[in-house]
Amino acid sequence: MEGSIALLGFGEGGWGPSIASGVLVTVSLALATLPIGLVIGFFIALGKQSLEPSVKLAANMYTTIFRGLPELLTLFVVYFGAQIGIQKLGQLLGYGGTLEINSFIAGMFALGVVFSSYASEVFLSAFRAIPKGQYEGGYAIGLSNGQTMRMVILPQLIRIALPGLANLWMILLKDTALVSAIGLADILRQTGVAARVTKHAFLFFGTACMIYLVLAILSSFVIDAIERSSAKSGVKR
Amino acid sequence: MTESFINARPATVMRPPAPPKKWTRGRVIGHLLVGLWTALLIGLLVYLYSAWNIELIQKYGPTYLEGLKTTIGLVGSSIVLGALISIPVALGRMSKNPIAASIAYAYVYFFRGTPLIAQVFLFYYGLGSFKPQLESVGLWVFFREAWYCALLAFALNTAAYQAEILRGAIRSVPLGQWEGAASLGVSKFVTFWKVILPQALIVALRPYGNEIILMIKGSAIVALITVYDLMGYTRLAYSRTFDFQAYLWAAIIYLILVEILRHIWDWLERRITRHLIR
């Protein structure tokens, strides 16, 4: 027991610092992916509820493809595909050396694409929950299309979409564990290294699971706070 | 006079012709986007055609098929096993006994709150550190195989999700259904089996389908613990040839698999909700 505490500690021979840096990488990757996924997802949802059939088709193709592919495969396709693409581009521009792609950026992009395709569904159902009269009211008092969206629809949309988005955040947090497969030093990779070196695999992978649980619990506190504050400004229907 | 005037309607109503569709900004963007997708797909086809290498296909095609079988077998058995495990867990979640309820809650929270990949590592590498103990009970034969470890982790994971689906679906059936059956003198078990479950399963059908799709996609991670499923053979083919089409073929197969399942599920849902359509 004391041995395991020493192994996980921050002292001599303890793996604490490297695991802590892994936590930092995981959290920052999830936080960096979130805005990308939200923005793309919002625009995909706008496309899906467009009256223009071609826009709808393009948006639906996006979700069909990225919700149907395994996240790990998307990650590999983005990582290796970008690697090859950049290499080709470099050769074209006359650069002979090898170009490496950052696994953090690749992970961010791949997870963002997956997140956005799920987020678009959440936004779409939130759009459908907003009555048409809200738009008409906005136009009636002379707001432009963009103003109606920004000042009337968006505040309500966010409130309705929050539970679904919170769910997606939890999924995103767990999906970040996949980037350890392309070599990013996140929680799982750091604990994996520690497990291989010390031969205490159960201890370290158990710790990794516990850290993910703690992250989930912490984020559920934050989400609760956001939900309460957004409900305060909402109208009781 | 007035009558004949009323009757003098033309037989067919002449409608004005539909106004020509304007090239609004949205329409232009939409066509551009569809054009982009089409270009991407054509690019993919051209790439696969130009990279077509019959030796490669002959060498790795059968392994992909083998991998697909492993994937389907793993997902199928873990879903069935998970469904069995999920029943006691769901009962525990709904139980009034605080001990059973909290154990079931902790189980569900653990398996839903941690990444599947971490659970798989925990079972495969983690249980390996208990080799002497497992050998003494004779279970080492089971935990030595990566496939069985993956199966166990997947079954326990999907059981947590399925328990929540089942619980939600049973809760969604109104209490009056229980009371109605009770007033007819039907026993609790028969009420559950004949009245509640059929209604609950209609609610649960969609989430169950989503869960199966999530498992198919999630099963790709077993490639990281040396199980040769579709993803495993893909990685093998890529590491030997460095040919990017290895990943593209896998993507196409996964997409087709998921789309087939989605359409089957849509059909199933239409079929069993026929009586609800008014």
Side-chain angles (χ1 to χ4, degrees):
Chain A
M1 191 62 209
E2 273 167 32
S4 357
I5 291 172
L7 276 175
L8 293 172
F10 286 79
E12 185 83 16
W15 289 85
S18 76
I19 295 177
S21 77
V23 175
L24 207 66
V25 169
T26 292
V27 172
S28 53
L29 178 64
L31 285 177
T33 308
L34 186 67
I36 304 176
L38 284 179
V39 170
I40 302 178
F42 178 75
F43 282 106
I44 298 289
L46 270 186
K48 275 185 184 172
Q49 58 147 18
S50 158
L51 296 174
E52 195 54 54
S54 56
V55 179
K56 220 187 245 180
L57 179 70
N60 280 331
M61 277 171 84
Y62 182 87
T63 36
T64 306
I65 290 177
F66 290 113
R67 288 204 311 172
L69 288 181
E71 288 82 358
L72 190 63
L73 186 63
T74 312
L75 199 61
F76 281 159
V77 167
V78 167
Y79 185 61
F80 293 120
Q83 198 104 306
I84 292 169
I86 284 183
Q87 209 77 24
K88 286 261 162 71
L89 204 71
Q91 282 168 6
L92 222 66
L93 296 175
Y95 179 74
T98 47
L99 290 159
E100 283 274 311
I101 189 164
N102 189 332
S103 53
F104 188 92
I105 306 280
M108 200 167 89
F109 186 74
L111 292 177
V113 164
V114 174
F115 184 92
S116 68
S117 61
Y118 281 96
S120 74
E121 290 291 309
V122 172
F123 280 128
L124 184 66
S125 58
F127 266 124
R128 288 192 178 139
I130 294 174
K132 218 172 143 196
Q134 296 289 327
Y135 295 88
E136 288 163 356
Y139 301 144
I141 57 171
L143 298 180
S144 72
N145 248 331
Q147 280 173 323
T148 310
M149 184 55 76
R150 205 176 68 241
M151 294 152 76
V152 181
I153 305 302
L154 211 55
Q156 306 182 53
L157 187 80
I158 290 170
R159 203 173 309 129
I160 300 170
L162 247 170
L165 293 178
N167 233 342
L168 290 182
W169 164 256
M170 297 290 192
I171 294 173
L172 173 65
L173 207 56
K174 291 188 280 170
D175 278 351
T176 54
L178 295 175
V179 289
S180 60
I182 56 169
L184 192 63
D186 73 329
I187 297 174
L188 200 63
R189 186 151 191 101
Q190 298 290 38
T191 49
V193 170
R196 221 170 308 133
V197 173
T198 62
K199 308 275 181 226
H200 285 85
F202 193 80
L203 172 73
F204 280 106
F205 285 123
T207 310
C209 285
M210 286 306 139
I211 294 172
Y212 280 109
L213 267 188
V214 169
L215 288 179
I217 293 169
L218 285 182
S219 27
S220 74
F221 282 139
V222 175
I223 290 162
D224 274 353
I226 296 174
E227 263 176 11
R228 245 178 290 129
S229 76
S230 82
K232 228 179 280 169
S233 52
V235 184
K236 296 270 176 299
R237 279 197 242 226
Chain B
M1 186 66 197
T2 46
E3 252 172 53
S4 68
F5 183 71
I6 289 166
N7 287 338
R9 272 184 183 159
T12 52
V13 181
M14 298 282 283
R15 287 208 176 83
K21 269 191 152 181
K22 276 194 199 132
W23 281 95
T24 55
R25 202 174 54 182
R27 194 161 173 228
V28 172
I29 293 174
H31 279 70
L32 280 179
L33 288 176
V34 172
L36 193 69
W37 271 123
T38 323
L40 274 177
L41 288 183
I42 290 175
L44 179 69
L45 286 180
V46 167
Y47 171 73
L48 286 180
Y49 181 75
S50 68
W52 181 264
N53 182 345
I54 197 65
E55 278 171 32
L56 212 69
I57 304 283
Q58 270 170 351
K59 191 162 177 205
Y60 292 105
T63 67
Y64 271 47
L65 208 63
E66 202 57 42
L68 185 63
K69 271 187 216 157
T70 310
T71 294
I72 292 175
L74 186 62
V75 171
S77 32
S78 59
I79 289 281
V80 172
L81 216 64
L84 292 178
I85 304 171
S86 78
I87 295 169
V89 177
L91 286 179
R93 283 284 275 136
M94 290 187 291
S95 150
K96 289 198 183 72
N97 181 346
I99 297 168
S102 51
I103 289 174
Y105 182 73
Y107 173 86
V108 169
Y109 205 99
F110 176 78
F111 279 100
R112 299 209 316 169
T114 56
L116 181 58
I117 180 174
Q119 293 162 18
V120 170
F121 281 5
L122 187 67
F123 276 91
Y124 182 58
Y125 297 118
L127 290 181
S129 30
F130 299 111
K131 189 181 168 192
Q133 289 93 321
L134 287 170
E135 263 174 346
S136 65
V137 231
L139 279 174
W140 179 243
V141 195
F142 182 82
F143 288 108
R144 198 180 46 193
E145 291 284 329
W147 197 88
Y148 286 116
C149 283
L151 177 68
L152 185 67
F154 280 11
L156 290 177
N157 179 277
T158 187
Y161 284 93
Q162 288 189 31
E164 286 300 283
I165 294 171
L166 200 60
R167 186 178 74 102
I170 292 172
R171 278 279 155 85
S172 78
V173 179
L175 216 59
Q177 300 286 327
W178 286 98
E179 290 163 355
S183 69
L184 291 172
V186 180
S187 77
K188 269 228 150 126
F189 180 76
V190 175
T191 307
F192 179 75
W193 196 246
K194 293 265 181 188
V195 180
I196 305 300
L197 204 59
Q199 299 183 68
L201 284 184
I202 289 175
V203 177
L205 190 70
R206 175 89 356 204
Y208 267 131
N210 288 341
E211 176 59 21
I212 297 175
I213 289 176
L214 284 181
M215 281 313 282
I216 292 177
K217 298 191 331 175
S219 73
I221 62 171
V222 291
L224 300 178
I225 59 160
T226 70
V227 175
Y228 282 101
D229 71 328
L230 182 52
M231 190 71 190
Y233 278 117
T234 306
R235 271 161 56 97
L236 186 74
Y238 184 72
S239 65
R240 284 198 186 151
T241 61
F242 287 105
D243 196 338
F244 191 61
Q245 61 172 313
Y247 281 116
L248 294 179
W249 283 115
I252 292 169
I253 297 173
Y254 270 114
L255 260 189
I256 292 174
L257 191 63
V258 168
E259 280 303 294
I260 289 175
L261 194 75
R262 207 162 64 93
H263 280 96
I264 292 176
W265 226 260
D266 280 348
W267 175 83
L268 213 64
E269 194 170 27
R270 272 202 309 278
R271 181 80 177 71
I272 70 165
T273 55
R274 277 182 310 176
H275 63 289
L276 294 175
I277 296 165
R278 285 170 218 256

